[in-house]
Amino acid sequence: MVGLQKADDAGVYKVTDDVALIQTVDFFTPIVDDPYWFGQIAAANALSDVYAMGGVPKTAMNLVGFPLQEMDFGILRSILEGGIEKIREANVALVGGHSIEDKELKYGLSVTGFVHPKKVLTKQNLQAGDQLILTKPLGTGIINTAIKANLADEKLIKEVTDQMAQLNRYAADMMEGYQVHACTDITGFGLLGHLVEMVIGSGHGLHIFSEQIPIIPGTEEFAKMGIIPAGAYRNRDFRKGWVNFENSVELCIQDILFDPQTSGGLLISVDKADAPGLLSDLVDKKRLEAALIGEVTAETVEKITVI
Ligand code: CO
Ligand code: CO
Ligand code: CO
């Protein structure tokens, strides 16, 4: 049902009329110093693609590259414990894995999930009038860059780590019962990079309301100081042709909208009539920092206007 032809968050294979299989794999090098938190973040990130497809993850397998000669084995144990904590929280069974000796530490998961074939959510299928909801604040790339430069305090490090380790399960659970037309999760391409993927081929334009976008406190200040990861510039160069910024949108905000996110939130395109209900479920019931950040216009030009 979903494969390489239309790159999406995960592959989907229809097994029967009632069951489709979702498969995804994700791993990366450490983005935080603490091995236990790194394990949690890598696992939450890998599980996220199943939620982004409208599915429920069921089984997972560990993928590990570890520098056995140079690193204490206890570090690997902590990473795997962090991963298992998130796997349990997601109600997923860890069924195996594979590890190799590697110069650079790497960890992640391959994840398998299920979805009803008629409920698969892809990046396609935006409808005019849809409201766009983002379920986590932006800024993890910029703040992680500030952490590496020793510019972030403990409170901010805790806040950004919590955000990255938070499962998208709680947001995904709330989509049930609402007319959601498309969904993805925000990762390396940044908010605008992922929005461009949704807009291409949609036959619609998007309006993004920059002042409504949730941003982790401190991100703007670091962006103004030029503490911006190289990936944000690459994202901008790659996709700037699709995006118009109105003059009122400050440069630091533009940078934040292209900031590569680690384990970012879901981006949900929901029917206009259902948007208030879904948003209040996300914010009031699940206490997520979700917000309505834009809408799908009736324009036929595939373009993103940031207001
Ligand atoms: Co994804
Ligand atoms: Co992924
Ligand atoms: Co999707």
Side-chain angles (χ1 to χ4, degrees), residues 78-298:
S78 296
I79 292 170
L80 295 178
E81 281 170 3
I84 285 168
E85 182 174 318
K86 285 291 144 180
I87 291 167
R88 285 215 185 100
E89 187 186 332
N91 202 19
V92 163
L94 182 66
V95 293
H98 185 69
S99 55
I100 58 162
E101 197 174 338
D102 195 337
K103 281 207 186 76
E104 201 175 8
L105 175 60
K106 298 180 185 80
Y107 172 64
L109 301 174
S110 78
V111 184
T112 300
F114 295 132
V115 63
H116 191 285
K118 291 206 167 92
K119 290 188 173 174
V120 176
L121 298 174
T122 67
K123 296 174 184 176
Q124 314 300 311
N125 197 35
L126 299 180
Q127 311 280 322
D130 275 6
Q131 304 291 294
L132 301 169
I133 292 175
L134 177 66
T135 68
K136 283 188 190 180
L138 299 181
T140 61
I142 287 166
I143 291 178
N144 284 322
T145 306
I147 293 171
K148 282 190 200 121
N150 284 321
L151 293 169
D153 60 24
E154 286 302 316
K155 185 169 167 276
L156 184 57
I157 294 173
K158 172 90 173 69
E159 159 138 30
V160 73
T161 306
D162 281 345
Q163 284 291 352
M164 292 188 290
Q166 184 187 83
L167 288 180
N168 278 331
R169 171 186 184 170
Y170 307 105
D173 280 351
M174 293 296 100
M175 293 195 287
E176 184 73 41
Y178 292 108
Q179 289 184 70
V180 174
H181 295 138
C183 181
T184 192
D185 57 347
I186 304 302
T187 51
F189 295 129
L191 175 69
L192 283 172
H194 291 279
L195 282 169
V196 170
E197 289 182 330
M198 295 179 104
V199 123
I200 294 174
S202 71
H204 292 293
L206 299 182
H207 286 171
I208 300 301
F209 312 126
S210 61
E211 287 181 354
Q212 290 176 215
I213 296 173
I215 295 171
I216 300 170
T219 307
E220 274 187 65
E221 287 69 24
F222 290 128
K224 278 183 187 151
M225 291 162 66
I227 312 291
I228 294 161
Y233 296 112
R234 280 197 298 273
N235 287 341
R236 190 183 183 122
D237 283 344
F238 183 44
R239 293 306 199 184
K240 61 187 173 197
W242 297 85
V243 184
N244 282 331
F245 290 101
E246 293 212 331
N247 291 336
S248 55
V249 183
E250 280 183 86
L251 191 60
C252 69
I253 299 294
Q254 300 182 21
D255 290 333
I256 292 167
L257 301 195
F258 278 116
D259 183 42
Q261 301 298 288
T262 298
S263 188
L266 295 182
L267 183 78
I268 303 168
S269 188
V270 62
D271 194 89
K272 192 179 177 108
D274 281 0
L278 175 57
L279 187 63
S280 102
D281 278 0
L282 292 166
V283 174
D284 302 328
K285 278 196 195 149
K286 293 295 174 183
R287 302 271 160 225
L288 300 175
E289 281 183 60
L292 198 157
I293 62 146
E295 64 189 11
V296 180
T297 69

Side-chain angles (χ1 to χ4, degrees), residues 9 24-26 45 49:
D9 293 306
T24 180
V25 57
D26 246 299
N45 175 69
D49 281 323

